[in-house]
Amino acid sequence: EEDKFIAALALKKSAIHCAKHPGRDVYGALVGDSKVNDAIPLFHTRPTTAATEVALLMLSQFNIIGFYESRIRGANEELEPSRYITQLCQALKNKGAASVFVLCIESDWNEPNIMALFRLDNKGTNFTKQTFDASFNKMSLTDFLIGHENIVDIDDHLSNPRLDW
């Protein structure tokens, strides 16, 4: 059964994007309506404000309802939205987005829970952790990768313009 907050395709694409760039900060957009239906890979480096603005302009035909990230954290830091992602989500909320989500993906896949989904409150100030079904396991992610080796983000495209972002 499909999760009420996020589609399996969005979970898998975001996880594969993060797995493709281990040990790096990875960011992407979540698109949909009241539910996250898909994920669009954006960066595997820390983006500048200008790069973020260009990326969001390029995605203007999509209904962005959140972002995903995998970032290097200190040993005692919780798996939660970064300041960068929080600011992007607050901007989405200020533009009138009804629901704004953040999917945080663990950079160390040896952890028992590799994902956490958050929803921004109506005031746009606090995140609430959502319960969701990430029932696929690392093996199903490996199986998914076999058909999706060509997940490309903006950084990949800028390194090699022949890669279609």
Side-chain angles (χ1 to χ4, degrees):
E1 182 179 312
E2 190 84 1
D3 188 83
K4 66 180 179 177
F5 294 117
I6 187 165
L9 176 66
L11 286 171
K12 289 178 180 180
K13 281 177 69 176
S14 57
I16 295 304
H17 182 216
C18 295
K20 184 178 175 183
H21 302 286
R24 294 187 148 203
D25 294 339
V26 178
Y27 303 96
L30 300 172
V31 297
D33 292 312
S34 60
K35 172 183 176 169
V36 177
N37 295 317
D38 202 357
I40 300 173
L42 295 178
F43 306 106
H44 62 267
T45 58
R46 286 186 188 240
T48 63
T49 300
T52 301
E53 289 174 357
V54 168
L56 295 177
L57 184 62
M58 293 172 69
L59 297 177
S60 62
Q61 74 272 26
F62 295 97
N63 188 31
I64 298 174
I65 62 169
F67 298 93
Y68 68 86
E69 71 175 339
S70 177
R71 62 189 174 93
I72 306 304
R73 296 176 291 111
N76 296 327
E77 284 185 76
E78 292 291 320
L79 185 61
E80 60 188 15
S82 67
R83 191 171 57 136
Y84 167 72
I85 290 295
T86 298
Q87 291 171 341
L88 288 176
C89 289
Q90 288 169 335
L92 270 181
K93 194 66 161 172
N94 291 339
K95 288 185 174 191
S99 294
V100 178
F101 295 95
V102 175
L103 178 63
C104 295
I105 302 171
E106 181 66 63
S107 59
D108 178 2
W109 284 35
N110 292 320
E111 295 292 321
N113 298 313
I114 63 168
M115 295 183 179
L117 183 68
F118 297 87
R119 188 177 195 166
L120 191 61
D121 67 12
N122 289 332
K123 294 179 183 177
T125 55
N126 295 306
F127 285 100
T128 304
K129 195 170 187 177
Q130 304 295 300
T131 302
F132 75 107
D133 179 21
S135 60
F136 61 89
N137 57 32
K138 294 171 195 164
M139 182 57 93
S140 66
L141 283 176
T142 304
D143 293 341
F144 184 76
L145 180 58
I146 292 169
H148 295 83
E149 302 90 351
N150 60 346
I151 287 181
V152 174
D153 62 20
I154 291 174
D155 290 327
D156 294 325
H157 177 75
L158 293 175
S159 296
N160 181 355
R162 289 181 281 175
L163 295 174
D164 187 14
W165 176 69

